[in-house]
Amino acid sequence: MTDFEHLYKPAQKEIWTGRVDDLHDPDAYRWHQLMQFLDLRKPLQKERKLSFCFLGFKSDEGVKRNLGRPGAKQGPDSIRKQLANLPSYFNSDVNLFDAGNILCENNLEQSQELLAEAVYKLLQAEMFPVLLGGGHEIAFGHYLGLHRFFKERGEPLPAIVNLDAHFDLRPWHNGISSGTMFSQIADMNRKNGEPFRYLVLGIQQSANTKSLFNRANHLGAQYVLCKAMRNKPLEDTFHKIDAFAKGGKTYLTVCTDVFSSAIAPGVSAPQPFGMFPETGLRLIKHVARNTHLVSFDIAEVAPRFDDDEQTAKLASVLIFALLNTLYKPDVNLIL
């Protein structure tokens, strides 16, 4: 609880502001009019409605250690500002919560442990966590929380689906970073006698060494190159996702550097030949519709490089599509 006192900040209500078209017509509401606020220092009640809960991870430390461009620490609030004005397609049977931010001052390992505790609390309260990065080091703390929750329940661990230009499977014996998370998870699961199920969509050959490809193959990780999705029908990748997940639980993580830098300039490692937004959107909706998705995060939105907030806007629209798909998977909205 002590860590929560100095590395946790409850939600700032003033971030959730925007246009108000009507104060009484729910069909005219926007997300900021629905938002409720949680303090993770207090006990949470189990939710009976479908409940999505936002939680930020304000960290640049993993990116700095990975020699990337820092700036993602301000990403969670930048994304929130874009989410606030989104139109609501939810009925009264959905709750939206904001649980604030986990902070990382210097000790990344400590902040990841605290993030794991926060994720665990949300899952216990039967909420769907929507985590906002921060660097992609968010993924290790996120997975630790998922691991604890499902192990205690005696249920299979969720498989990991990652939209990313990078494997993030670097060795971590000299320290952890935003490039080591899935290597850490693989080693932890192997030590515990548990499977490492990892699928990466959007890999760039120019962003990964031959050694990393070898490491991925050695660990049994699956991947699809970005150029393969551009040159072949996306249905091929859908089939791969379905075979990988087999209808089981999944955890979806998105690193915004998977997208073309023309669309997503505000990232640590821009990709000129990255994925187009329509492709990412279709992949995310497919995972939401065709697997048992239990948690989600999006990482590496860096406002200091984000011209006209393009990347934060992209992140918000992807979250909009994801939550609406989880809410009504059989309804095809505009996106």
Side-chain angles (χ1 to χ4, degrees):
M1 187 59 68
T2 302
D3 290 340
F4 263 108
E5 292 303 320
H6 72 278
L7 291 178
Y8 169 70
K9 296 295 182 185
Q12 296 177 279
K13 296 182 181 181
E14 59 269 23
I15 291 178
W16 292 97
T17 59
R19 181 189 299 274
V20 176
D21 295 331
D22 197 293
L23 290 173
H24 307 291
D25 177 10
D27 288 345
Y29 286 175
R30 297 173 186 271
W31 282 19
H32 69 89
Q33 293 174 272
L34 303 178
M35 194 58 58
Q36 304 175 64
F37 301 94
L38 298 177
D39 187 336
L40 294 180
R41 297 169 297 186
K42 301 175 181 179
L44 302 182
Q45 294 183 341
K46 285 191 176 182
E47 293 298 325
R48 296 182 180 181
K49 298 180 180 180
L50 174 61
S51 298
F52 300 109
C53 187
F54 296 100
L55 175 66
F57 187 62
K58 300 190 76 170
S59 172
D60 262 335
E61 184 62 24
V63 174
K64 290 177 182 177
R65 295 183 188 186
N66 203 29
L67 304 181
R69 304 192 303 173
K73 188 172 185 176
Q74 304 307 321
D77 289 345
S78 179
I79 297 171
R80 282 185 175 98
K81 289 176 182 177
Q82 299 303 321
L83 293 171
N85 217 34
L86 290 173
S88 171
Y89 286 85
F90 305 126
N91 291 329
S92 58
D93 52 352
V94 173
N95 283 328
L96 293 180
F97 293 101
D98 187 356
N101 294 311
I102 303 295
L103 311 180
C104 180
E105 296 170 352
N106 288 302
N107 192 329
L108 175 56
E109 294 81 354
Q110 182 184 29
S111 294
Q112 287 174 325
E113 290 286 349
L114 192 59
L115 179 63
E117 184 178 347
V119 169
Y120 176 77
K121 285 174 177 279
L122 297 180
L123 292 169
Q124 279 192 313
E126 298 185 2
M127 299 181 188
F128 183 95
V130 181
L131 272 56
L132 311 174
H136 207 181
E137 61 267 24
I138 192 175
F140 186 66
H142 192 165
Y143 187 83
L144 285 179
L146 292 166
H147 186 278
R148 176 184 172 188
F149 179 78
F150 287 106
K151 286 292 290 183
E152 285 188 2
R153 293 165 65 98
E155 298 181 15
L157 298 174
I160 303 166
V161 180
N162 182 17
L163 271 63
D164 204 331
H166 306 88
F167 284 114
D168 292 333
L169 285 170
R170 292 184 181 180
W172 58 284
H173 52 272
N174 289 325
I176 68 172
S177 73
S178 63
T180 65
M181 306 82 62
F182 302 109
S183 197
Q184 294 170 255
I185 292 170
D187 290 347
M188 177 181 72
N189 285 10
R190 183 182 65 241
K191 183 178 179 180
N192 293 332
E194 299 158 351
F196 175 62
R197 299 176 59 207
Y198 181 47
L199 170 64
V200 198
L201 308 174
I203 287 291
Q204 296 280 358
Q205 286 180 289
S206 60
N208 296 272
T209 64
K210 185 177 179 180
S211 177
L212 287 169
F213 278 94
N214 292 340
R215 171 81 167 151
N217 292 331
H218 173 73
L219 292 171
Q222 299 183 42
Y223 57 91
V224 179
L225 297 176
C226 189
K227 68 178 182 181
M229 287 187 284
R230 188 178 294 118
N231 296 330
K232 297 180 181 179
L234 199 57
E235 283 70 21
D236 291 357
T237 303
F238 292 163
H239 294 322
K240 192 173 187 72
I241 293 170
D242 296 342
F244 169 76
K246 296 179 181 177
K249 297 181 181 67
T250 55
Y251 149 47
L252 176 62
T253 178
V254 175
C255 185
T256 47
D257 71 17
V258 76
F259 295 102
S260 166
S261 55
I263 304 299
V267 298
S268 173
Q271 300 297 323
F273 288 93
M275 186 183 293
F276 296 128
E278 292 83 356
T279 300
L281 186 71
R282 291 180 64 192
L283 292 171
I284 288 169
K285 292 176 70 172
H286 185 86
V287 172
R289 284 195 177 114
N290 296 280
T291 73
H292 183 181
L293 186 62
V294 297
S295 202
F296 171 81
D297 65 48
I298 190 161
E300 302 215 359
V301 173
R304 64 183 290 224
F305 305 114
D306 199 14
D307 183 37
D308 200 27
E309 301 176 310
Q310 289 183 72
T311 316
K313 289 173 182 174
L314 172 62
S316 73
V317 173
L318 295 176
I319 293 169
F320 174 81
L322 173 69
L323 269 56
N324 278 291
T325 302
L326 290 171
Y327 172 51
K328 290 189 174 181
D330 297 326
V331 175
N332 190 16
L333 292 173
I334 297 171
L335 292 174

